[in-house]
Amino acid sequence: ESKAQTSSAHTEGEQSLHVYKSWLQRELQSCLTMALWMQISQQLPNLSNQTLMELYPDSFPIDVRHYLANWIEEQRWEDFDTDSLEQEPQARRLLEQMVELLQEVAFHNPNVVEKVKLQHISRNMSTFQTQPLQLVRTVRDILRRERLLLRQASLYYVHVVPTPNRQAMPPFTQMPTPINGTTLTSREVNTSDLDTLVLKVLDIQSCRQQIHQLQEELNWEKQEAEPMQGQNDLDPKHADQVTKQTRIAQLEYKYQECAKKRVQLLQEAMCSLEQCQTRLIHRIKSWRWEQLRSTIGLAFDDNLLPLQTWCEQLLGVNGNLRQELMLVKRDHGSVEQFHLLEENLSHLLQLLIHRYGRTCNSSLVVEKQPPQVIKTQSKFSSTVRYLLGEKVAPGKPVLLKAQIITETQARNLGQGVIPTENVGELINSTAILEHNTASKSTCATFRNMSIRKIKRADRKGSESVTEEKFALLFTTEIVITGCESPYCVQTISLPVVIIVHGSQENNAMATVIWDCAFSEPNRIPFVVPERVPWSQMSEALSSKFMSEVQTSRGLDRYNLHCLAQKIFDKLEISEDFNKMPVSWAQFNKEVLPGRTFTFWQWFEGVIDLTKKCLKAYWTEGLIFGFIGKQHLHVILQNKPNGTFLLRFSDSEIGGITIAYVDVCENGGRKIQNIQPFTKKDLDSAGLGDRIRDIKCIKYVYPDMPKNEVFKKYFTGKYTRPSQPVIRGRQGFSVFPSAPNPDGYLPFKLTTVVDPEPGSATASITPQPVSLDPIYSIQTPTSLPGGPAAFAQPYPVNASMPSQDDLYPPMLYPAESMRPDPQDHMELEDFLSTLNKL
């Protein structure tokens, strides 16, 4: 009776499983034929707000996914290699198509609110213009996460719902997290085949259970058949004996088939594990590469939790497979095939925990890099994260140690050579690996590190100390739960330049920028090319400018062409510079022709000025920026008198000047360039107030009245000079009003322009004002000599070369545009104007 019940239950179970598999196949086939967005949209009400925000980031709102669903799912996002710059043009075309489709949807949308929203989104999509491959990564990851969510819903039915008693998929909020010890989560990235691996492990476990059940039945049948052995063929019980022998043979055949299937599934799972782990390591490499490139302003998602979850899952799968392999060896004996599988699993475990590359572990990551320019005797911090932190064996605390290594020592790490020579004295160089339950992270934070001294290597040729690169090496010894021996893990930081004085920071940053912008993935530390194409250089300059200034407006083709003219010392505005090589020497070793500074020193000065004083003006497009004098004359030559534009100074680091059309005495016209304003000048009076004060400029290029354009920047604020004498181009007006609480009369700083160099100055040296209740205003008896503003007319060559489509056609009225040497203002008129001021 017991055997009959067991056999009956087994038969019913097989029938139920067969019915369920048929139902599941129909459901999965239905899902495959249904559009992905249609499936996922049915589950959106069941998703939490946090899951929705993670699934559709701010850079790619859910509105885009909704309105362009069919087009998005028709594109071949998986065909892209997002680490190859050669595919940027193709990615840029997809971006342009996406923006056009959004604009078209917005145009035909009858809802005004939705129309405005879609237009705003389409404009924001232009942020991908500088890194179109980031758009591909974003869309591809969203689609993968959507498919993973649907697969997890299917897994919920496989492991939680024993029979097909529901007609619809459950909401994601009801999905269990653990399945046989392996965690599944919707936050994973690039794990499209991980669910297949998990299913293979479950199949192996199911196969093992089936083999165990068959073995029990075989043992029972053989036990029952023993009393019948040796009976006469005429015995009526002989038929039962034959039946039992047949049953035993069938069970033995099933047992052998299941055993073969078990080994086959183990081999398949091993291959899947290797593929998954290869993709994980590639993604960690990409994360490190993106972290390096973020130094020049490229987009970077620093969230390590998806990679940590992925790491932990693969470690769990590896442990499950090692356990299953041990059981297989117990059941079938130790053969060569199983030894190979065991060695492969151990090798994969070594790669995951210990080391995969020249210098870094796959599981130990520098989450927060130290500053890439470090000044000795200054504090700095860094954070190292262990992605398998929850698998660390409890008990003994894990201590991480940091040390400074040279470029040569970093290269030797790839050969297994542990650095023994101490090249620098690093203070507070140890930290404990601690687990944070709230963030689910295991990190060691070095909060107050400092370099007391550094040992330099022998320099070659003209190499300076700011070109020497170091790194921080982090090492520790970790015991993983389930593993017998401890593992020595290590990782290095991004390259750093160590300086001893603030004056070295600019040149050190140039070394860092060149390294981060132009190094190759998987390079030997810290090799960089000596020359790069201008097309690469221009992208790096634009990204760095946008990142530092914190603006969405980058450098346009006119700006970049001007920069190319400057770095190559070629004034031809028709030349294509994209393929011309730029050397490190041109970037930051050789001074610019006729100057005392390098290209990077000048460009960094512009960045600093724009970031601190001109961000709003630049973002709104009020500053033309980088423009050569030839191009300047081309676009201003036919404009009315008083038309001006703002350009960065060529001759002064961190200066901005005003170029405007002025009139000559003989009726001709000339281009004037006002002496540049520096940060110090703009701190005392903003650019808007200075433009308001200069009466000879009226229209912002091309033809906008300046008072309308700059009105919101007119402040009229009063300021007090820190020194009694200021530069010649500024003047003070003292107003007989109530004194400030500190006892001083207020004054207003105004900007005036000397129309001709060498004429009388327009500045007044402020006289000390007594703190006595009776105030007096002293008038200067003489005007000091020197220009108030350097307005250098630029002579225009009448025979300029013909231009291509880069600039508009040029007309050069030679005589009318030449400066008149006799052009100046009479002293009486000037003094009259001064009195009015």
Side-chain angles (χ1 to χ4, degrees):
E1 183 180 0
S2 175
K3 288 190 297 179
Q5 290 176 352
T6 302
S7 177
S8 175
H10 184 264
T11 303
E12 291 178 1
E14 288 183 338
Q15 293 175 349
S16 176
L17 183 61
H18 176 73
V19 172
Y20 173 58
K21 286 183 176 179
S22 301
W23 170 84
L24 184 58
Q25 288 177 353
R26 291 195 304 270
E27 289 294 316
L28 292 176
Q29 185 63 31
S30 174
C31 289
L32 289 174
T33 57
M34 188 188 302
L36 179 60
W37 175 246
M38 187 179 298
Q39 299 175 63
I40 204 71
S41 60
Q42 293 174 359
Q43 299 294 336
L44 290 181
N46 301 317
L47 295 175
S48 65
N49 291 335
Q50 182 181 359
T51 303
L52 282 173
M53 287 189 295
E54 294 168 353
L55 191 57
Y56 305 105
D58 294 338
S59 58
F60 196 90
I62 192 174
D63 308 73
V64 182
R65 183 68 179 95
H66 171 69
Y67 285 105
L68 305 184
N70 293 335
W71 180 85
I72 289 173
E73 294 175 27
E74 289 170 0
Q75 308 310 310
R76 303 175 66 87
W77 306 100
E78 295 290 343
D79 292 350
F80 279 82
D81 180 7
T82 54
D83 292 326
S84 174
L85 296 179
E86 295 178 355
Q87 296 194 345
E88 275 197 355
Q90 185 180 353
R92 190 170 281 110
R93 284 194 295 271
L94 284 177
L95 172 61
E96 293 170 355
Q97 293 178 27
M98 183 177 292
V99 173
E100 290 176 2
L101 288 172
L102 280 174
Q103 292 173 348
E104 184 177 351
V105 171
F107 178 80
H108 294 289
N109 198 315
N111 189 316
V112 177
V113 176
E114 285 294 314
K115 180 192 294 286
V116 173
K117 185 178 181 182
L118 288 171
Q119 290 173 345
H120 178 71
I121 291 174
S122 67
R123 286 193 298 269
N124 287 346
M125 294 294 289
S126 62
T127 56
F128 288 108
Q129 191 66 36
T130 56
Q131 53 260 358
L133 288 175
Q134 182 61 32
L135 171 69
V136 175
R137 294 189 196 97
T138 302
V139 179
R140 185 184 62 189
D141 291 346
I142 288 174
L143 295 176
R144 287 177 175 179
R145 291 171 187 173
E146 289 177 350
R147 286 191 287 266
L148 185 59
L149 284 171
L150 295 175
R151 288 193 186 97
Q152 288 174 2
S154 301
L155 286 176
Y156 175 87
Y157 268 81
V158 170
H159 298 284
V160 177
V161 185
T163 56
N165 57 359
R166 298 186 185 182
Q167 300 300 320
M169 282 201 237
F172 297 129
T173 52
Q174 297 179 9
M175 280 196 304
T177 302
I179 297 179
N180 283 10
T182 303
T183 303
L184 294 176
T185 171
S186 62
R187 304 185 63 176
E188 295 182 14
V189 181
N190 296 331
T191 57
S192 57
D193 56 349
L194 186 58
D195 52 350
T196 304
L197 175 60
V198 172
L199 286 175
K200 285 185 183 297
V201 175
L202 294 173
D203 286 342
I204 294 171
Q205 294 172 342
S206 176
C207 190
R208 170 171 52 81
Q209 293 169 357
Q210 188 176 358
I211 288 175
H212 181 70
Q213 183 177 352
L214 288 171
Q215 185 66 57
E216 288 182 341
E217 291 186 26
L218 266 173
N219 293 339
W220 177 267
E221 294 293 343
K222 288 179 179 180
Q223 180 181 345
E224 289 290 312
E226 284 181 359
M228 298 182 181
Q229 293 179 356
Q231 290 183 352
N232 192 331
D233 291 346
L234 299 177
D235 192 329
K237 294 184 178 180
H238 178 69
D240 292 340
Q241 182 184 1
V242 171
T243 302
K244 286 188 177 295
Q245 292 298 329
T246 303
R247 172 66 176 165
I248 290 172
Q250 291 175 345
L251 290 174
E252 287 179 341
Y253 176 78
K254 285 185 177 181
Y255 181 88
Q256 295 297 329
E257 289 298 311
C258 284
K260 291 180 182 178
K261 182 181 178 182
R262 184 183 182 185
V263 176
Q264 181 182 355
L265 287 173
L266 264 173
Q267 293 173 333
E268 292 177 359
M270 186 78 66
C271 292
S272 297
L273 175 62
E274 187 172 1
Q275 292 173 0
C276 284
Q277 189 162 309
T278 301
R279 292 179 183 177
L280 167 67
I281 292 174
H282 177 74
R283 181 67 193 99
I284 293 176
K285 288 181 180 179
S286 299
W287 188 93
R288 286 190 169 102
W289 172 248
E290 291 164 9
Q291 186 187 47
L292 172 71
R293 300 277 286 173
S294 67
T295 304
I296 60 170
L298 297 183
F300 172 52
D301 181 8
D302 61 354
N303 183 16
L304 278 170
L305 188 56
L307 294 179
Q308 175 181 314
T309 305
W310 195 352
C311 243
E312 292 170 347
Q313 286 182 325
L314 290 183
L315 182 63
V317 169
N318 192 297
N320 288 338
L321 289 179
R322 279 185 287 127
Q323 181 181 7
E324 293 299 323
L325 187 57
M326 290 173 59
L327 295 173
V328 168
K329 290 171 65 178
R330 183 199 65 182
D331 296 339
H332 301 283
S334 181
V335 296
E336 182 65 23
Q337 183 182 19
F338 299 151
H339 279 304
L340 291 176
L341 291 176
E342 195 170 33
E343 289 177 1
N344 287 340
L345 274 175
S346 298
H347 176 66
L348 291 175
L349 187 64
Q350 286 275 345
L351 290 178
L352 186 64
I353 298 177
H354 185 43
R355 177 179 293 179
Y356 75 84
R358 293 188 178 96
T359 57
C360 296
N361 288 107
S362 54
S363 54
L364 193 65
V365 180
V366 183
E367 183 174 26
K368 179 189 174 186
Q369 292 285 342
Q372 287 193 264
V373 176
I374 302 176
K375 184 176 177 293
T376 56
Q377 311 296 332
S378 298
K379 290 182 180 180
F380 64 93
S381 62
S382 182
T383 301
V384 180
R385 180 164 174 169
Y386 191 55
L387 300 181
L388 295 172
E390 292 190 347
K391 306 298 182 180
V392 175
K396 184 180 178 181
V398 179
L399 184 69
L400 255 73
K401 181 181 179 181
Q403 69 180 102
I404 306 170
I405 60 173
T406 64
E407 188 171 340
T408 302
Q409 289 175 328
R411 293 176 186 177
N412 292 337
L413 283 175
Q415 309 300 324
V417 179
I418 304 300
T420 56
E421 182 185 3
N422 191 3
V423 299
E425 186 177 347
L426 188 62
I427 302 173
N428 297 325
S429 58
T430 58
I432 300 293
L433 199 65
E434 298 176 314
H435 183 71
N436 188 318
T437 307
S439 62
K440 299 181 180 179
S441 62
T442 303
C443 299
T445 302
F446 299 81
R447 291 182 175 84
N448 294 298
M449 283 193 292
S450 178
I451 299 176
R452 179 174 293 176
K453 59 182 179 180
I454 190 72
K455 180 181 178 182
R456 304 276 183 187
D458 294 333
R459 293 188 292 278
K460 302 175 182 179
S462 62
E463 187 181 31
S464 67
V465 294
T466 57
E467 296 177 67
E468 187 178 3
K469 287 178 279 191
F470 297 86
L472 264 64
L473 172 65
F474 301 94
T475 58
T476 189
E477 195 173 78
I478 292 178
V479 178
I480 298 295
T481 303
C483 300
E484 298 177 358
S485 57
Y487 291 91
C488 179
V489 295
Q490 65 183 23
T491 190
I492 64 172
S493 70
L494 298 181
V496 301
V497 179
I498 300 174
I499 62 176
V500 296
H501 193 273
S503 61
Q504 298 173 316
E505 185 172 0
N506 186 284
N507 292 329
M509 183 53 67
T511 301
V512 169
I513 295 299
W514 188 275
D515 184 275
C516 295
F518 308 124
S519 58
E520 298 293 334
N522 302 320
R523 62 171 172 171
I524 298 172
F526 297 107
V527 176
V528 287
E530 185 64 27
R531 295 176 179 271
V532 295
W534 170 252
S535 57
Q536 279 186 256
M537 170 66 75
S538 61
E539 290 179 3
L541 292 177
S542 184
S543 296
K544 184 62 177 177
F545 187 94
M546 293 172 65
S547 173
E548 287 294 318
V549 179
Q550 293 294 300
T551 178
S552 58
R553 181 191 169 206
L555 306 181
D556 60 27
R557 61 191 183 112
Y558 301 112
N559 292 154
L560 294 174
H561 194 84
C562 174
L563 293 176
Q565 288 177 306
K566 194 171 190 67
I567 202 169
F568 292 117
D569 191 26
K570 293 188 176 182
L571 299 180
E572 295 84 355
I573 58 178
S574 60
E575 188 163 352
D576 183 9
F577 296 102
N578 282 330
K579 296 182 180 179
M580 290 184 63
V582 183
S583 68
W584 162 249
Q586 288 172 306
F587 182 67
N588 194 54
K589 282 189 76 71
E590 301 170 352
V591 296
L592 293 171
R595 308 298 182 202
T596 59
F597 44 80
T598 66
F599 174 84
W600 167 253
Q601 290 169 349
W602 169 77
F603 185 76
E604 197 275 337
V606 171
I607 291 179
D608 188 66
L609 176 72
T610 309
K611 174 173 62 176
K612 294 177 179 177
C613 303
L614 306 173
K615 176 182 176 180
Y617 299 94
W618 172 265
T619 303
E620 290 193 21
L622 301 180
I623 297 175
F624 200 99
F626 304 98
I627 178 173
K629 289 186 177 180
Q630 289 183 354
H631 186 196
L632 176 67
H633 282 67
V634 169
I635 65 176
L636 289 182
Q637 61 180 341
N638 293 323
K639 293 299 177 181
N641 294 338
T643 303
F644 72 97
L645 57 79
L646 297 164
R647 55 183 289 267
F648 296 121
S649 171
D650 287 319
S651 59
E652 188 167 349
I653 293 180
I656 187 168
T657 183
I658 300 174
Y660 68 99
V661 182
D662 199 8
V663 63
C664 300
E665 276 190 354
N666 61 1
R669 297 189 305 159
K670 57 186 176 183
I671 304 297
Q672 300 277 39
N673 289 275
I674 298 176
Q675 182 174 336
F677 301 112
T678 63
K679 178 182 178 297
K680 182 178 179 181
D681 301 323
L682 298 178
D683 283 343
S684 58
L687 182 62
D689 289 337
R690 293 184 178 275
I691 289 174
R692 176 200 59 200
D693 294 340
I694 302 175
K695 305 305 180 184
C696 55
I697 58 175
K698 301 175 182 178
Y699 308 102
V700 186
Y701 177 83
D703 54 6
M704 298 175 288
K706 73 171 186 180
N707 289 337
E708 294 182 9
V709 175
F710 288 92
K711 183 177 180 180
K712 64 179 179 180
Y713 298 107
F714 297 164
T715 62
K717 291 182 179 179
Y718 301 118
T719 183
R720 181 175 303 102
S722 58
Q723 300 295 333
V725 179
I726 61 172
R727 299 180 66 175
R729 64 171 174 270
Q730 298 171 346
F732 290 94
S733 298
V734 184
F735 298 90
S737 58
N740 287 333
D742 57 8
Y744 287 100
L745 285 177
F747 61 81
K748 181 179 181 181
L749 179 63
T750 61
T751 303
V752 292
V753 175
D754 181 1
E756 191 67 34
S759 65
T761 180
S763 70
I764 301 178
T765 302
Q767 303 298 319
V769 180
S770 171
L771 289 177
D772 190 82
I774 301 177
Y775 298 92
S776 62
I777 303 176
Q778 301 184 15
T779 304
T781 58
S782 63
L783 296 173
F790 181 77
Q792 175 62 47
Y794 183 82
V796 179
N797 189 348
S799 58
M800 297 292 288
S802 59
Q803 309 301 323
D804 59 5
D805 294 337
L806 182 63
Y807 302 119
M810 297 186 297
L811 298 174
Y812 294 97
E815 294 300 324
S816 63
M817 292 294 287
R818 289 187 185 278
D820 185 357
Q822 302 299 324
D823 181 29
H824 64 277
M825 181 180 290
E826 296 295 337
L827 182 59
E828 292 80 8
D829 294 339
F830 175 75
L831 293 176
S832 175
T833 303
L834 182 61
N835 288 332
K836 293 179 181 179
L837 294 175

